[in-house]
């Protein structure tokens, strides 16, 4: 397994270079270093000298990808792409365009993101699996039909509606929790109730349908019929046999997102004023802060790769037939 | 079986007990719920009843270093912390400058080219340089800050930190010791030198290079000195500006300094009321420049050091920022004079009382308007603006067109404050464009025709909810040079009818268009329709409605409007290169002087040729001559006459479609006192007062949690389980029977 993990890590390097190159190209197609300077220096009374100085101070006065004036290997290394990208591989994210240390900001802002994402993930998974098993149990009955219709309705509603609806109903009309905001430590509980609830409800439709499909596929297998033939109760069949055998597709979807949980949710964090990494990314895009955008995309890619490796490893835990070699 | 029987007997009793307990718990919850309130309170319970102001911010301030900061959302914070020598009177209108840390208004001396002092009324062209001598009050202390902390031997404790000493330090609050020292004139001079610092990128450096003697050369010298400065941990070490003299800013004595200006620049007085000219202690600059500080995000741009009424005690702009009363504040009193109507409005009730009134101001990040508005209505924010979403809920217009609060708002005791902003939003014509630009009569008539056709009164009504006044010229209301009444209307666009300006009829615009050579919107010579290209930014649903409206306005005079929508970067590029034809833009005043608006049409300030703020690239020799004369004058009838002349020229040439001056609408709760819009002053927080008891009472009234729907929902969920269980049992039995029978 160790060799497998090493191999996957090595495979990740060209992927990360590619992602970085793509992010770089997409960002600089839309924004030039001059645009970034103007954005940071403000709109009033900005002189060309100030722009040049800003670019020079932050290393944006170099060519983007290829330095025709340099010699040797410097044609590639003395460029914005190289100087801004190479340190990412040792997870040194450097400074944002306003001078703040990105690594520090990420460390600070990952906790609010996790405070929402972890309960939404765990409770959401349990709720979705429970509902899916319930529908599978009542398959081909009115409960199943109406359940699926309900899921389709829930899937069709925009996340934004859940957020605004939740804020209106629970925060404004019933006045049970604050409409938005955040606090740290135990005080955070009352701020988390609503976004977590919204996150869970928003995910029920798609999650339940997905797991229901998996369970229905399993439920018609021979081993299930055998279990029933042995006289096991339907609940025992579902929880002890069907659920266990459906773990591989469940893990495929679930484990891969675990490392990404701390990247936060762009919409939820923005509407609930949660100071997480999702909001951090959105703010950086709005402020044309390439250093943060690049760092967050890179981190997202790394986390995704970690998620895939974890998924592979988790297969071996739930299915003894699988070996990583 | 005995065991089974036993269970069967006891089960209902146990269930009864459980039910009884649940019922008791529920009743208790509901009963206590009657007394409980503010479950939705976003603030800790410990803050209840405290003298704290609650406000919000939408966007994280980019800079809190006074040499870099240049936007209103940043000034909302640093304006309370940093104290420049001058300030604006809180109540008087028109805006009036007065000393803040200065003992009196600066002494201004003029000199000719030979260095001889000139009288105060000397002609501007004789003045080669001006001197501003500023005396500051002794005894003013800085806020407590680690940069001033000293050890037992009197040495600075944290100005020469070793990496080991920074272990465990994550924010400024982690430094256990703080200190203070007296504000001295050298701190003001230090800050002026920082304007030229190569690593700080001050936005006004370019402008001040033209005025402060020797600043441009000083910037070059600093660049060279900074290059030579060694690096530690990847960051340049502190550059001690005290050792590098600047000709234009000198310390005269401990409490006096002098700023030398090229020529005459009366507007410099206004700059002295802005944070760019606030004091900066060298200790702070050195403290923050130490290795390891920047990697911990402990910078001057993040943790200000000032002498003002408040200090920033929490700076987490991803969540909240907290201003706390500065224990070392030198003290001021609430003004005892204001303008007419201030007494009736209760704005002088606190006259002579010591400032500040509020102990702490908590600013929470609130990115979306809907939660922000709802929290205001719940009493969790003390003031609020009005977004388009909530406008109808808050404001209604009388038949005369006056804005007033809706009954719902009045019932809550909310008050409305309005003020015309010192800003202008206009539609500009690129004067370098061959179709709409130039000084020919054809182009002038075309611009005037468009100016009549685009009905800005309609625009204000539809897109600004009536929050604005249509502009008659460049200078907005409240600034010297703005006129009211019949004599002040733009005669090329308006007629004076029934005591108010009325836009000329579309027929007049069509006639002008025909005179310009475009009858029915077609070129008389070629017969081709005239296309006008408007460069805009934005692509939201509201923008689409705005663009449709604009097309409709042009269609009124048979012109086809082509809207070229682009992102802001490309738009700015088009403006810089002169590739836009018609555009929409705005300007917000730096200071209340007509020069700050008239310069937007000053030829040598053209955007394409000179990179200035004259986005229309308008150039008129007479206008420029008058501007040169007007800019150095004191406010007087003679200056007003020149401004009128300049306005007439601009109206005749019509480089702008004059657009509108927006109106600010602010809502305040009944417990929020001394609120008066002051669009120039930055240190306004200290004048505000709140009644925390009244706020607490209102919050309790307005925020009673409604529990019964939750109880009902829970019961429904519980009850819905019962048929599920029945169905499950039936299914299980069916399966058993089916298995048995088969």
């Amino acid at each position: 397994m160790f060799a497998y993990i090493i191999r996957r890590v090595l495979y990740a390097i060209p992927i990360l270079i590619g992602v970085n190159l793509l992010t770089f190209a997409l960002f600089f197609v839309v924004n030039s270093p001059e645009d970034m300077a103007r954005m940071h220096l403000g709109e009033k009374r900005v002189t060309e000298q100030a722009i040049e100085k800003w670019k020079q101070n932050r290393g944006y006065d170099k060519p983007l990808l290829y330095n025709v004036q340099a010699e040797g290997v410097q044609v590639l290394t003395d460029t914005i792409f190289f100087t801004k990208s190479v340190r990412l591989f040792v997870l040194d994210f450097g400074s944002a365009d306003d001078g703040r240390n990105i690594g520090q900001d990420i460390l600070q802002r990952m906790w609010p993101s996790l405070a929402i994402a972890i309960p939404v993930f765990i409770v959401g998974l349990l709720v979705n699996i429970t509902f899916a098993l319930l529908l599978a149990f009542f398959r081909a009955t009115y409960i199943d039909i109406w359940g699926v219709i309900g899921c389709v309705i829930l899937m069709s509603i925009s996340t934004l509606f859940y957020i605004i609806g939740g804020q209106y109903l629970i925060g404004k009309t019933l006045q049970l929790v604050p409409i938005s905001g955040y606090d740290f430590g135990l005080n955070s509980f009352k701020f988390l109730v609503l976004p977590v609830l919204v996150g869970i409800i928003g995910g029920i439709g798609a999650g339940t349908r997905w797991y229901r499909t998996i369970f229905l596929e399993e439920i018609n297998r021979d081993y299930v019929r055998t279990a029933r033939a042995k006289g096991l109760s339907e609940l025992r069949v579902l929880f002890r046999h069907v659920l266990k055998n459906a773990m591989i597709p469940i893990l495929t979807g679930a484990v891969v997102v675990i490392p990404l949980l701390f990247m936060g949710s762009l919409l939820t964090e923005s509407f609930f004023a949660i100071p997480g990494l999702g909001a951090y990314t959105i703010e950086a895009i709005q402020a044309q802060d390439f250093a943060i955008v690049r760092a967050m995309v890179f981190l997202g890619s790394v986390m995704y790769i970690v998620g895939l490796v974890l998924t592979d490893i988790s297969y071996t835990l739930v299915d003894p037939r699988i070996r990583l070699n | 079986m005995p065991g089974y029987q036993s269970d069967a007997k006891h089960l209902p009793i146990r269930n009864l007990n459980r039910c009884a307990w649940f019922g008791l718990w529920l009743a208790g919850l509901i009963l206590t719920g009657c007394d409980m309130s503010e479950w939705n309170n976003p603030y800790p319970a410990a803050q209840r009843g405290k003298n704290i102001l609650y406000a919000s911010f939408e966007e994280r301030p980019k800079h809190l270093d006074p040499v870099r900061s240049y936007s209103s959302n940043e000034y909302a914070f640093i304006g309370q912390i940093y104290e420049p020598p001058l300030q604006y009177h809180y109540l008087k209108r028109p805006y009036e400058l007065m000393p803040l840390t200065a003992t009196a208004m600066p002494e201004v001396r003029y000199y000719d080219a030979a260095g001889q002092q000139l009288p105060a009324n000397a002609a501007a062209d004789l003045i080669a340089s001006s001197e501003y001598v500023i005396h500051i009050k002794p005894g003013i202390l800085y806020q407590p800050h680690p940069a001033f902390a000293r050890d037992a031997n009197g040495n600075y404790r944290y100005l020469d930190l070793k990496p080991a000493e920074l272990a465990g330090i994550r924010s400024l609050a982690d430094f256990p010791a703080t200190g203070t020292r007296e504000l001295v004139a050298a701190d003001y001079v230090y800050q002026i030198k920082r304007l030229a610092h190569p690593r700080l990128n001050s936005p006004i450096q370019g402008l001040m290079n033209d005025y402060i003697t020797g600043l441009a050369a000083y910037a070059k010298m600093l660049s060279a000195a900074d290059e030579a400065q060694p690096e530690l941990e990847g960051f340049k070490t502190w550059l001690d500006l005290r050792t590098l003299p600047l000709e234009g800013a000198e310390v005269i004595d401990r409490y006096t300094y002098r700023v030398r200006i090229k020529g005459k620049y009366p507007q410099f007085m206004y700059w002295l009321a802005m944070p760019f000219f606030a004091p900066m202690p060298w200790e702070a600059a050195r403290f923050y420049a130490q290795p390891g500080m920047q990697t911990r995000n402990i910078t001057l741009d993040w943790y200000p050091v000032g002498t003002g009424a408040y200090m920033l005690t929490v700076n987490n702009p991803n969540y909240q920022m907290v201003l706390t009363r500065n224990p070392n504040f030198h003290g001021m009193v609430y003004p005892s004079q204001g303008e007419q109507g201030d007494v009736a409005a209760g704005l002088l009730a606190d006259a002579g009382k010591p400032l500040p009134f509020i102990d702490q101001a908590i600013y929470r990040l609130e990115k979306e308007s809907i939660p922000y508005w709802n929290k205001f209505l719940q009493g969790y924010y003390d003031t609020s603006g009005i977004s388009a979403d909530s406008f109808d809920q808050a404001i209604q217009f009388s038949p005369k067109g006056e804005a007033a609060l809706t009954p719902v708002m009045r019932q809550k005791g909310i008050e409305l404050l309005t003020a015309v902003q010192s800003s202008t939003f206009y539609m500009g014509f690129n004067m370098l464009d061959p179709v709409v630009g130039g000084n020919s009569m054809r182009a002038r008539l075309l611009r005037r025709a468009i100016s009549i056709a685009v009905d800005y009164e309609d625009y204000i009504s539809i897109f600004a909810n009536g929050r604005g006044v249509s502009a008659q010229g460049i200078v907005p209301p409240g600034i010297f040079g703005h006129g009211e009444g019949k004599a002040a209307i733009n005669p090329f666009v308006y007629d004076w009818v029934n005591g108010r300006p009325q836009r000329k009829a579309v027929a007049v615009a069509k006639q002008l268009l025909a005179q310009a050579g475009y009858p029915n919107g077609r070129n008389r010579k070629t017969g081709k329709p005239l296309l006008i290209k408007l460069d805009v930014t934005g692509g939201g649903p509201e923008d689409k409605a705005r663009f449709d409206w604009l097309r409709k306005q042009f269609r009124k005079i048979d012109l086809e409007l082509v809207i070229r929508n682009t992102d802001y970067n490309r738009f700015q590029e088009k403006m810089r290169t002169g590739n836009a034809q018609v555009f929409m833009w705005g300007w917000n005043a730096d200071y209340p002087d007509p020069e700050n608006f008239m310069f937007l049409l000053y030829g040598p300030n053209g955007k394409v040729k000179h990179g200035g703020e004259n986005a229309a690239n308008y150039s008129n020799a007479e206008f420029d001559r008058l501007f040169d004369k007007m800019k150095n004058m004191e406010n007087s009838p003679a200056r007003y006459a020149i401004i009128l002349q300049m306005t007439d020229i601009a109206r005749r040439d019509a480089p702008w479609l004059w657009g509108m001056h927006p109106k600010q609408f602010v809502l305040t709760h009944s417990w929020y006192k001394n609120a008066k819009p002051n669009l120039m002053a930055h240190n306004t927080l200290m004048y505000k007062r709140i009644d925390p008891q009244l706020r607490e009472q209102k919050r309790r009234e307005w925020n009673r949690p409604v529990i019964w729907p939750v109880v009902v929902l829970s019961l429904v969920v519980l009850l819905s389980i019962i048929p599920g269980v029945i169905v499950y049992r039936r299914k299980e039995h069916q399966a058993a029977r089916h298995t048995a029978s088969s």
Side-chain angles (χ1 to χ4, degrees):
Chain A
M1 187 191 283
F2 185 70
Y4 173 81
I5 293 170
I6 295 290
R7 201 163 60 238
R8 288 295 297 263
V9 169
L10 292 175
Y11 286 162
I13 292 171
I15 295 173
L16 291 174
I17 292 173
V19 167
N20 210 18
L21 191 63
L22 205 61
T23 314
F24 183 85
L26 287 174
F27 188 91
F28 282 101
V29 161
V30 182
N31 309 290
S32 67
E34 182 159 327
D35 296 334
M36 293 161 67
R38 285 183 186 278
M39 177 63 98
H40 284 270
L41 292 171
E43 289 176 29
K44 288 167 104 175
R45 304 181 189 277
V46 182
T47 59
E48 288 302 319
Q49 292 91 324
I51 288 164
E52 285 310 311
K53 206 188 288 176
W54 187 93
K55 282 158 57 180
Q56 198 183 341
N57 285 344
R58 285 158 184 78
Y60 286 114
D61 54 341
K62 295 178 176 19
L64 289 175
L65 283 165
Y66 191 81
N67 191 344
V68 285
Q69 288 173 338
E71 287 178 1
V73 74
Q74 283 196 324
V75 293
L76 292 174
T77 57
D78 194 24
T79 59
I80 295 177
F81 176 71
F82 188 84
T83 53
K84 300 282 175 190
S85 304
V86 72
R87 297 178 78 174
L88 285 177
F89 287 86
V90 288
L91 294 184
D92 177 358
F93 301 115
S95 298
D97 290 338
D98 63 1
R100 283 182 61 78
N101 186 292
I102 297 172
Q104 285 285 325
D105 277 349
I106 290 174
L107 279 177
Q108 201 180 52
R109 297 185 72 150
M110 61 185 267
W111 301 112
S113 290
L114 284 174
I116 293 180
I118 290 176
V120 169
F121 174 72
I122 295 172
V123 181
L125 198 66
L126 291 175
V127 167
N128 293 347
I129 289 175
T130 308
F131 279 157
L133 282 170
L134 202 69
L135 295 184
F137 178 75
F138 290 110
R139 62 196 173 279
T141 66
Y142 279 114
I143 294 176
D144 183 30
I145 292 165
W146 283 107
V148 171
I149 291 171
C151 286
V152 172
I153 292 170
L154 286 172
M155 281 168 70
S156 313
I157 297 170
S158 147
T159 311
L160 200 60
F161 179 85
Y162 288 115
I163 293 172
I164 295 174
Q167 285 180 329
Y168 180 81
L169 184 71
I170 297 171
K172 189 187 174 188
T173 309
L174 303 183
Q175 302 188 330
L176 297 174
V177 291
I179 291 174
S180 67
Y182 190 72
D183 209 338
F184 293 90
L186 287 176
N187 289 336
S188 65
F189 180 75
K190 65 177 173 183
F191 293 99
L192 294 176
V193 171
L194 188 52
V196 167
L197 199 65
V198 163
I200 292 167
I201 294 172
I204 284 178
T208 304
R209 278 210 67 198
W210 165 239
Y211 295 129
R212 176 185 167 274
T213 312
I214 293 168
F215 294 142
L216 286 182
E217 204 176 307
E218 288 294 322
I219 223 159
N220 292 319
R221 297 272 170 102
D222 289 344
Y223 72 87
V224 178
R225 201 173 296 125
T226 310
R228 285 207 195 100
K230 283 167 71 181
L232 293 181
S233 72
E234 194 65 14
L235 275 185
R236 209 174 164 82
V237 170
L238 284 174
F239 281 95
R240 290 291 295 273
H241 295 276
V242 174
L243 182 59
K244 209 170 175 180
N245 282 286
M247 281 311 277
I248 286 193
I250 291 175
L251 285 174
T252 309
V255 178
V256 76
V257 299
I258 290 174
L260 290 169
L261 291 179
F262 97 109
M263 299 295 286
S265 157
L266 308 183
L267 212 56
T268 307
E269 288 181 10
S270 185
F271 266 82
F272 287 105
I274 308 282
L277 287 175
Y280 188 51
T281 311
I282 282 282
E283 284 161 20
I285 293 168
Q286 285 167 348
Q288 296 179 11
D289 195 322
F290 174 62
I292 299 176
V293 173
R294 181 197 60 209
M296 292 308 293
V297 172
F298 184 84
L299 205 56
S301 313
V302 170
M303 289 299 143
Y304 192 67
I305 290 165
V306 170
L308 290 174
V309 174
L310 285 179
T311 308
D312 287 354
I313 294 168
S314 66
Y315 287 165
T316 62
L317 300 178
V318 295
D319 190 343
R321 292 169 300 179
I322 298 174
R323 292 276 181 275
L324 298 179
N325 49 41
Chain B
M1 285 185 288
Y4 180 76
Q5 280 174 352
S6 166
D7 275 351
K9 273 179 192 168
H10 285 97
L11 196 64
I13 297 166
R14 205 186 294 166
N15 278 354
L16 189 69
N17 283 341
R18 281 179 190 166
C19 288
W21 279 114
F22 178 73
L24 278 172
W25 172 78
L26 201 63
L29 191 73
I30 294 167
L31 285 172
T32 50
C34 294
D35 288 334
M36 288 173 79
S37 62
E38 299 184 54
W39 286 13
N40 56 353
N41 190 335
Y43 309 113
Q47 288 179 5
R48 288 189 186 181
K50 295 267 175 73
N51 186 16
I52 298 172
L53 176 132
Y54 295 100
S56 74
F57 60 100
E58 194 183 337
E59 203 180 322
R60 174 166 90 80
K62 270 190 215 161
H63 300 294
L64 296 176
D65 183 337
V67 89
R68 304 171 79 179
S69 174
Y70 198 13
S71 64
S72 54
N73 70 324
E74 295 159 358
Y75 282 4
F77 297 101
I78 65 167
Q80 324 311 323
I81 299 164
Y82 286 106
E83 290 190 307
L86 305 181
Q87 64 176 333
Y88 289 95
H89 194 284
Y90 181 56
L91 298 175
K92 284 184 182 172
R93 302 290 182 278
Y95 294 105
E96 191 180 301
L97 279 176
M98 60 183 277
L100 177 54
T101 57
T103 54
M105 293 301 283
E107 297 165 28
V108 188
R109 297 169 193 155
Y110 300 117
Y111 297 91
D112 63 13
Q116 295 296 312
Q117 191 171 344
L118 295 167
N121 59 355
D125 51 353
L126 293 176
I127 298 171
S129 65
S130 318
E131 258 185 21
Y132 288 72
V133 179
I134 301 153
H135 306 276
I136 58 162
K137 295 170 192 165
I140 295 175
L141 295 178
Y142 279 100
Q143 66 178 74
H145 193 277
F148 304 118
R150 289 173 186 264
D151 59 21
N153 299 323
N155 298 320
Y156 285 107
R157 197 166 160 180
Y158 301 125
L159 293 194
D160 196 16
L161 290 167
K162 305 287 175 291
E165 292 173 279
L166 278 171
I169 299 285
R170 285 196 177 82
S171 76
L172 201 64
D174 294 329
F175 288 95
T178 59
T180 186
R181 79 150 165 82
E182 191 187 26
L183 171 74
V184 291
D187 300 335
Y188 285 97
V189 171
Y190 195 89
Q191 169 75 350
I192 294 171
K193 290 176 178 176
R194 292 179 81 238
L195 291 172
H197 198 296
R199 274 180 269 147
L200 295 177
N201 292 114
S202 176
I204 64 160
Q205 192 208 328
L207 176 80
M208 287 300 150
N209 278 348
D210 295 341
Y211 291 109
I212 297 177
T213 311
L215 193 70
Y218 192 72
K220 281 183 190 161
M221 185 180 78
L222 284 191
S223 288
D226 194 51
E227 279 289 312
Q229 204 69 7
E231 275 192 15
L232 265 176
E233 294 183 16
F235 294 100
K236 290 270 183 187
T237 50
W238 178 54
L239 182 60
D240 188 357
L241 304 184
R242 290 174 302 166
T243 59
L244 304 165
L246 167 65
E247 190 190 346
E250 290 169 301
V251 176
I252 296 175
D253 62 39
R254 186 172 170 82
Y255 301 113
T256 312
Y257 68 104
R258 173 173 49 214
V259 184
R260 197 167 284 131
I261 297 290
K262 295 175 201 166
K264 186 180 180 184
Y265 183 43
Q267 289 76 25
F268 186 68
M269 208 67 103
Y270 296 112
W271 286 106
L272 290 175
M274 293 177 77
F276 291 113
F277 290 87
M280 181 55 63
W282 66 268
E283 294 95 329
R286 179 171 167 181
F287 173 80
Y288 288 115
Q290 293 176 96
M293 290 296 205
Q294 197 163 343
T295 49
R296 286 171 172 79
N297 287 333
I298 302 174
T299 65
L300 194 47
D301 216 18
W302 206 248
Y303 295 105
V305 191
T307 57
Y310 293 92
M311 53 188 193
L312 192 65
T313 45
V314 176
N315 185 10
N316 183 355
N318 311 316
Y319 158 56
Q320 72 171 7
M321 297 175 77
V322 179
L323 290 170
T324 305
R325 186 192 283 262
N326 173 9
N328 298 339
F329 183 52
H330 51 91
M332 283 173 66
V333 292
Y334 192 86
S336 51
Q337 289 178 318
E339 65 172 341
Q340 208 175 9
D342 283 351
V343 175
L347 286 167
L348 287 166
D350 288 324
K353 289 184 183 167
L355 298 174
F357 293 117
I358 291 166
D359 293 334
Q360 207 171 49
I362 295 180
Y363 297 82
R364 282 273 172 102
L365 177 70
E366 208 66 75
K367 283 182 154 314
E368 301 296 331
S369 62
I370 297 171
Y372 166 65
W373 171 248
N374 285 323
K375 279 195 205 167
F376 169 71
L377 292 182
Q378 290 172 340
Y380 296 127
Y381 287 125
D382 298 328
T383 66
S384 172
I386 313 174
S387 71
D389 299 328
S390 43
F391 193 83
D392 291 340
Q393 197 185 343
I395 303 292
Q396 60 186 20
F397 284 95
S398 69
K400 286 182 181 174
E402 287 160 2
L405 289 168
T406 56
V408 180
M409 296 293 120
R410 284 202 300 271
Q411 204 180 351
K412 284 177 102 76
I414 290 170
E415 286 167 31
L416 171 69
L417 297 170
T418 64
V420 179
Q421 289 178 275
S422 46
S423 311
T424 187
F425 286 99
Y426 60 91
M427 186 183 280
F429 299 100
N430 179 7
M431 297 299 277
L432 303 177
D433 183 80
V435 179
V436 300
N439 284 326
S440 66
M441 183 52 81
R442 175 202 61 79
R444 207 179 283 167
L445 291 172
L446 172 62
R447 292 194 293 266
R448 280 189 213 156
I450 295 172
S451 301
I452 293 170
V454 181
D455 186 346
Y456 254 90
E457 290 76 31
D458 198 37
Y459 181 92
I460 292 165
S461 165
I462 296 172
F463 298 103
N465 295 109
R467 285 176 285 185
V469 290
S470 47
Q472 302 292 333
I474 314 168
V475 183
I479 308 273
F480 184 80
H482 175 83
E484 293 285 350
K486 187 180 177 183
I489 64 165
N490 180 357
F492 297 100
V493 179
Y494 292 90
D495 293 317
W496 189 258
V497 180
N498 297 329
R500 60 186 190 87
Q502 184 177 300
R503 187 170 288 273
K504 287 181 190 289
V506 172
V508 178
K510 283 187 171 181
Q511 197 183 341
L512 291 173
L513 199 63
Q515 285 172 19
Y518 303 101
N520 301 318
R522 287 178 177 271
N523 189 316
R524 186 175 284 134
K525 289 176 191 162
T526 62
K528 287 183 179 171
L530 178 60
L531 295 181
I532 300 293
K533 299 176 195 96
L534 176 72
D535 284 279
V536 292
T537 59
E542 200 175 309
D543 292 319
K544 189 182 175 303
R546 200 159 52 95
F547 300 155
D548 288 343
W549 179 87
L550 283 166
R551 284 192 197 96
K552 195 176 139 197
Q553 302 304 303
F554 279 74
R555 220 171 287 136
K556 286 196 292 197
I557 52 171
D558 306 316
L559 289 182
E560 206 56 50
L561 181 71
V562 178
I563 292 185
R564 300 194 293 197
N565 197 346
T566 182
D567 63 83
Y568 194 60
N569 292 335
R570 299 289 78 75
F571 172 74
Q572 280 189 310
E573 194 181 312
K574 278 185 181 180
M575 296 303 294
R576 285 197 301 276
T577 51
N579 284 326
Q581 191 175 63
V582 184
F583 58 92
M584 295 172 92
W585 221 338
W587 180 260
N588 192 25
D590 291 311
Y591 42 79
D593 190 271
E595 178 265 356
N596 198 230
F597 283 90
M598 290 294 187
F599 91 124
L600 297 172
L601 292 175
Y602 182 53
N605 201 20
K607 193 166 267 302
V608 173
K609 286 183 189 160
H610 309 283
E613 300 293 347
N614 176 359
N617 301 296
Y618 175 64
S619 180
N620 180 299
E622 180 63 5
F623 184 95
D624 294 348
R625 189 187 64 78
L626 290 169
F627 178 83
D628 287 332
K629 195 173 172 186
M630 178 278 297
K631 70 175 183 181
N632 292 324
M633 293 172 77
E634 304 295 330
N635 287 344
S636 62
R639 194 181 197 211
Y640 188 73
I642 294 176
I643 292 168
L644 286 188
Q645 265 182 283
M646 294 171 74
T647 307
D648 284 346
I649 294 169
R651 282 170 178 164
R652 185 198 66 206
D653 290 349
W656 289 3
L657 195 161
W658 301 100
M660 62 179 274
H661 306 299
K663 217 172 181 179
Q664 187 188 58
F665 278 39
V666 177
L667 300 178
T668 62
H669 278 298
S670 51
W671 57 79
Y672 188 77
K673 313 286 183 192
N674 299 337
K676 179 173 181 177
N678 188 322
L679 305 165
M680 290 297 151
H682 307 301
N683 58 344
T684 54
L685 178 62
M686 64 179 167
Y687 300 102
K688 307 287 166 51
R689 183 166 61 79
I690 50 164
D691 180 346
Q693 275 71 42
L694 179 61
R695 178 171 63 190
E696 204 48 47
Q697 181 200 324
K698 292 285 182 189
R699 277 183 182 177
R700 271 200 299 273
E701 268 175 40
W702 297 342
N703 297 287
R704 295 181 186 280
V706 185
I707 305 164
W708 67 263
V710 181
V711 176
V712 170
L713 188 70
S714 307
L715 287 173
V716 168
V717 170
L718 285 172
L719 291 173
S720 67
I721 293 171
I722 295 169
V725 171
I726 293 167
V727 172
Y728 170 74
R729 286 193 165 183
R730 195 180 293 160
K731 206 174 169 185
E732 283 288 282
H733 290 148
Q734 272 176 354
R737 276 201 299 274
H738 180 71
T739 312
S741 63
S742 60

